[in-house]
Amino acid sequence: ALVALAAILADPENRATTARGMAYVAVSQAVQAAQLTFEGYFLRDLARVFETPTAMVGAEGCVGAVLMLCVVLPVAEHTGGTDVGGVSENTGGDTIVMLRNSPHLIAIVAAYVIGLVAYNYVGQQVSPMAGVASRTWLETLRTLACWFLAACLHYGDASVFE
């Protein structure tokens, strides 16, 4: 809370934008906690459908990827924004071109996907032993990891991305 307050007070010209960003982070954490609670308590019956809990998490990931690719990104691509072409997300054009032309970006995306798989596998293995509350606490470390990576990228050597 103090970090959020400091960020909001530090830049008077961008207070509304900063506050909105902080609200997005708080809402995303609440949604993640709700998802984990749902998985922990309500999806136990689905364990009979899938052979292993890992298969259930994999199926959830596949459904999430399909929803993202077929619903969220197309909607974002057709709303106004500040990305290339005046949209919120330019996946069909700009993102594909960047991936085609940058082996470094492909490596970063591959590392991201591998990291997500490992992170979700470890989290899924921790839940039955430690409980949903412990996994929710573990998931909040993701925000800390994102902030740490953002600081490293911001203050690191930019020539890596050229």
Side-chain angles (χ1 to χ4, degrees):
L2 291 176
V3 172
L5 181 61
I8 290 169
L9 296 177
D11 189 5
E13 295 178 10
N14 293 318
R15 281 188 181 154
T17 304
T18 303
R20 186 172 51 237
M22 296 296 178
Y24 288 154
V25 170
V27 168
S28 71
Q29 292 296 323
V31 167
Q32 181 67 28
Q35 177 186 1
L36 292 173
T37 302
F38 180 78
E39 285 177 8
Y41 293 109
F42 300 112
L43 294 181
R44 287 184 184 155
D45 294 336
L46 285 178
R48 290 178 288 189
V49 175
F50 298 100
E51 282 189 31
T52 64
T54 306
M56 183 173 71
V57 171
E60 180 185 2
C62 290
V63 169
V66 168
L67 286 173
M68 181 64 76
L69 292 172
C70 296
V71 177
V72 175
L73 290 177
V75 167
E77 209 165 338
H78 291 93
T79 59
T82 58
D83 201 358
V84 175
V87 295
S88 294
E89 179 61 38
N90 193 1
T91 306
D94 192 42
T95 302
I96 303 301
V97 170
M98 287 190 300
L99 284 169
R100 260 193 238 140
N101 295 325
S102 176
H104 289 105
L105 187 57
I106 291 171
I108 289 170
V109 170
Y112 175 72
V113 169
I114 291 167
L116 277 178
V117 168
Y119 188 83
N120 283 326
Y121 178 76
V122 169
Q124 186 260 334
Q125 295 300 315
V126 166
S127 287
M129 293 180 279
V132 174
S134 296
R135 178 152 181 223
T136 303
W137 181 83
L138 179 66
E139 291 285 341
T140 60
L141 292 177
R142 180 172 43 189
T143 303
L144 179 63
C146 289
W147 285 342
F148 177 74
L149 180 60
C152 290
L153 291 174
H154 180 72
Y155 295 109
D157 184 13
S159 67
V160 172
F161 302 106
E162 293 176 359

